[in-house]
Amino acid sequence: DTAVSQTPKYLVTQMGNDKSIKCEQNLGHDTMYWYKQDSKKFLKIMFSYNNKELIINETVPNRFSPKSPDKAHLNLHINSLELGDSAVYFCASSQGVGGSPDTQYFGPGTRLTVL
Amino acid sequence: GDSVTQMEGPVTLSEEAFLTINCTYTATGYPSLFWYVQYPGEGLQLLLKATKADDKGSNKGFEATYRKETTSFHLEKGSVQVSDSAVYFCARSSVNQAGTALIFGKGTTLSVSS
C-alpha cells in the first residue's frame, strides 16, 4: 500500500553509463516531480509533470530526460552519467497544479553513486 | 530570488529540552509553508503546513505559525524525544511557476540524546 514508490533504492554504476529510475504513485494524483538531494542534503526541484505533460523543467543537463507513460508513473533516464550526478533522487506527487499549493508526498529516494 | 533560509545545524539537545528551528522565506505573494522531516535512511515526510498568514500548523507536538510580518515559519516543540532525531526541512510553495514546486531550505539536523 506504498503511496509513492521508487526503484531501485540504491544504484551504483560507472561513469558514462546510462541508467533509469522508476517512480509510481497510487494516490490518484495528477502531478509528479523529481527532486535531487546533494551530499549536503540540499533539495532542488528538477522536473514536474501534470497529466503526462512537462510543466517544470529547471536548469538540468539534457542528459536527464523524464518520461511519463501515464499519470501514475514518472521515470527518470540519465545518459552518460558523471561523478557529479551522485545524489539521492526523490520522486513526489501532489493532487493538483496551478495556483493552489498542494501537499507533496515523497518516495523513499534512490541513492545514485557514480564511480 | 525566492528562497528559504533555515538556521544552520546541527542542533544537539537533551531529551525533554525545548526546540526551536528558525525559518524565514522570501516570496512575491503568499506562499504556503511546510515543514518536512527526514529520518535517517528514509524519504521526506510532511510534518506540518500552513497556507495563510497567522495559520498555525501542528503535528506530533511540533508547531509552527505563519508570520507574514516577519516572513517566518519557525518550528517549535516543547519537549523533544530521542526519536525526533532527524533532518528538518522548511519549504515554501513556488508561486511563480506553472506547477507547484517546493523550494526547500538547506535542512537542519537535530540530534537528541537521552
Side-chain angles (χ1 to χ4, degrees):
Chain A
D1 61 344
T2 304
V4 182
S5 59
Q6 296 178 227
T7 54
K9 188 166 184 179
Y10 300 96
L11 183 54
V12 181
T13 189
Q14 299 287 331
M15 266 196 313
N17 285 348
D18 303 338
K19 291 293 179 186
S20 292
I21 306 171
K22 295 186 177 182
C23 178
E24 176 180 2
Q25 54 95 3
N26 63 8
L27 297 167
H29 287 167
D30 291 331
T31 307
M32 296 183 72
Y33 311 81
W34 278 110
Y35 288 85
K36 179 180 180 181
Q37 185 177 44
D38 64 23
S39 59
K40 296 183 179 179
K41 295 205 175 289
F42 184 56
L43 276 150
K44 189 170 181 186
I45 182 74
M46 298 175 70
F47 301 103
S48 170
Y49 268 72
N50 175 259
N51 276 323
K52 303 192 297 176
E53 183 181 341
L54 180 65
I55 54 173
I56 292 175
N57 183 356
E58 288 296 304
T59 307
V60 176
N62 58 15
R63 298 182 295 103
F64 289 78
S65 53
K67 285 189 171 48
S68 182
D70 55 63
K71 74 173 192 177
H73 295 84
L74 180 62
N75 303 324
L76 183 64
H77 188 75
I78 315 170
N79 289 327
S80 303
L81 279 155
E82 299 177 357
L83 293 176
D85 298 332
S86 296
V88 181
Y89 293 84
F90 285 101
C91 178
S93 72
S94 67
Q95 180 62 47
V97 69
S100 174
D102 291 312
T103 300
Q104 294 186 18
Y105 296 86
F106 284 79
T110 295
R111 181 175 294 278
L112 171 65
T113 303
V114 182
L115 303 175
Chain B
D2 296 340
S3 68
V4 175
T5 304
Q6 333 183 190
M7 62 188 286
E8 298 265 340
V11 174
T12 304
L13 295 173
S14 298
E15 211 165 20
E16 299 183 4
F18 184 84
L19 169 71
T20 300
I21 301 178
N22 290 337
C23 172
T24 57
Y25 67 93
T26 60
T28 52
Y30 304 99
S32 287
L33 302 172
F34 305 83
W35 277 100
Y36 279 83
V37 58
Q38 185 177 26
Y39 297 103
E42 298 185 14
L44 280 82
Q45 301 175 25
L46 177 70
L47 182 59
L48 53 85
K49 70 175 185 179
T51 58
K52 60 183 188 296
D54 300 325
D55 267 3
K56 178 185 282 188
S58 60
N59 185 25
K60 299 181 181 179
F62 291 89
E63 57 182 36
T65 301
Y66 190 143
R67 301 281 187 205
K68 186 163 68 89
E69 63 277 8
T70 54
T71 60
S72 64
F73 193 55
H74 304 322
L75 182 69
E76 296 182 337
K77 186 174 186 182
S79 175
V80 293
Q81 305 300 313
V82 172
S83 57
D84 293 327
S85 298
V87 182
Y88 291 81
F89 293 92
C90 185
R92 49 146 290 194
S93 58
S94 170
V95 298
N96 293 325
Q97 301 183 24
T100 321
L102 291 175
I103 297 174
F104 285 90
K106 293 189 175 182
T108 302
T109 300
L110 171 65
S111 179
V112 181
S113 57
S114 58

